[in-house]
Amino acid sequence: MVPSQLVACTCLFLAGKTEETRKKLDDVVDHFNYVIHCRVKGKTKRPSKSSQEFKQFRAKVIEMEAVLMEALEFKFYVAHPYPLLISNLRKLFPDKDGVHGKDLGGQKGLAQLAWFFVNDSLRTTLCLTHPPQKIALAAIYLALKNKRFDYDKEFKREGKPWCE
């Protein structure tokens, strides 16, 4: 049986590798030890980076990393909705200036507002339950609704919805 704390710490370390700003293993283990020892267990000290306990836990994290990577089949690509958001906005509004808020039928900042909606969606479970294309389209839809933009009138295409 593998301790859940070891798996949790390893998952945090692996998740940090998929983002732009990676975290050092020692920093992840040190902060994890702080949370477990000081916050959860109520102790006043955590193991120092030079202690044997710290080094053993660090070594276990490295071993568990290999196990988790194999379980994930080394698939680390995370698709974000941002590129899809921009490409869909460019399709809807071919004039680049219109997308960025200079003039969009009197509406300003549509792209920025949609971007904010995508940011907010990533702080929820939506990114786990819906593909990035749907999140990007939903963000555009919410931005259009928020700006009171008549998308049915503007984007009517042979009876198809605006998002196709």
Side-chain angles (χ1 to χ4, degrees), residues 45-60:
K45 286 186 170 183
R46 64 180 181 243
S48 69
K49 289 185 179 182
S50 60
S51 73
Q52 195 63 28
E53 183 183 354
F54 183 90
K55 291 177 183 177
Q56 287 174 346
F57 191 73
R58 185 183 188 282
K60 288 178 183 177

Side-chain angles (χ1 to χ4, degrees), residues 50-159:
S50 60
S51 73
Q52 195 63 28
E53 183 183 354
F54 183 90
K55 291 177 183 177
Q56 287 174 346
F57 191 73
R58 185 183 188 282
K60 288 178 183 177
V61 168
I62 292 171
E63 290 173 19
M64 183 56 63
E65 177 186 17
V67 172
L68 287 175
M69 286 176 58
E70 191 173 319
L72 292 171
E73 298 176 352
F74 299 91
K75 294 179 183 172
F76 279 95
Y77 176 72
V78 178
H80 287 283
Y82 298 108
L84 300 165
L85 175 73
I86 298 302
S87 66
N88 283 322
L89 284 170
R90 286 193 176 137
K91 285 178 193 172
L92 287 172
F93 306 102
D95 176 21
K96 290 181 184 175
D97 291 337
V99 171
H100 297 291
K102 277 190 179 176
D103 184 24
L104 185 58
Q107 308 300 322
K108 294 190 180 217
L110 180 75
Q112 185 177 25
L113 185 59
W115 192 276
F116 291 156
F117 281 127
V118 169
N119 282 344
D120 291 344
S121 77
L122 295 177
R123 290 175 174 82
T124 68
T125 58
L126 285 174
C127 59
L128 301 174
T129 57
H130 298 286
Q133 179 66 23
K134 282 187 178 180
I135 293 173
L137 289 174
I140 293 170
Y141 174 78
L142 290 171
L144 289 169
K145 283 294 241 184
N146 185 277
K147 294 290 186 177
R148 292 179 176 82
F149 190 81
D150 190 1
Y151 48 85
D152 287 328
K153 178 180 146 190
E154 296 290 330
F155 305 126
K156 198 161 194 160
R157 294 187 207 155
E158 299 146 14

Side-chain angles (χ1 to χ4, degrees), residues 9-56:
C9 184
T10 308
C11 287
L12 287 173
F13 179 59
L14 281 175
K17 285 185 169 185
T18 64
E19 296 301 317
E20 293 176 11
T21 55
R22 295 181 179 193
K23 300 294 179 200
K24 294 179 182 177
L25 177 58
D26 284 353
D27 294 340
V28 172
V29 171
D30 187 45
H31 191 72
F32 192 81
N33 277 332
Y34 167 74
V35 170
I36 295 302
H37 286 81
C38 297
R39 295 270 176 112
V40 176
K41 294 182 179 176
K43 296 181 180 177
T44 56
K45 286 186 170 183
R46 64 180 181 243
S48 69
K49 289 185 179 182
S50 60
S51 73
Q52 195 63 28
E53 183 183 354
F54 183 90
K55 291 177 183 177
Q56 287 174 346

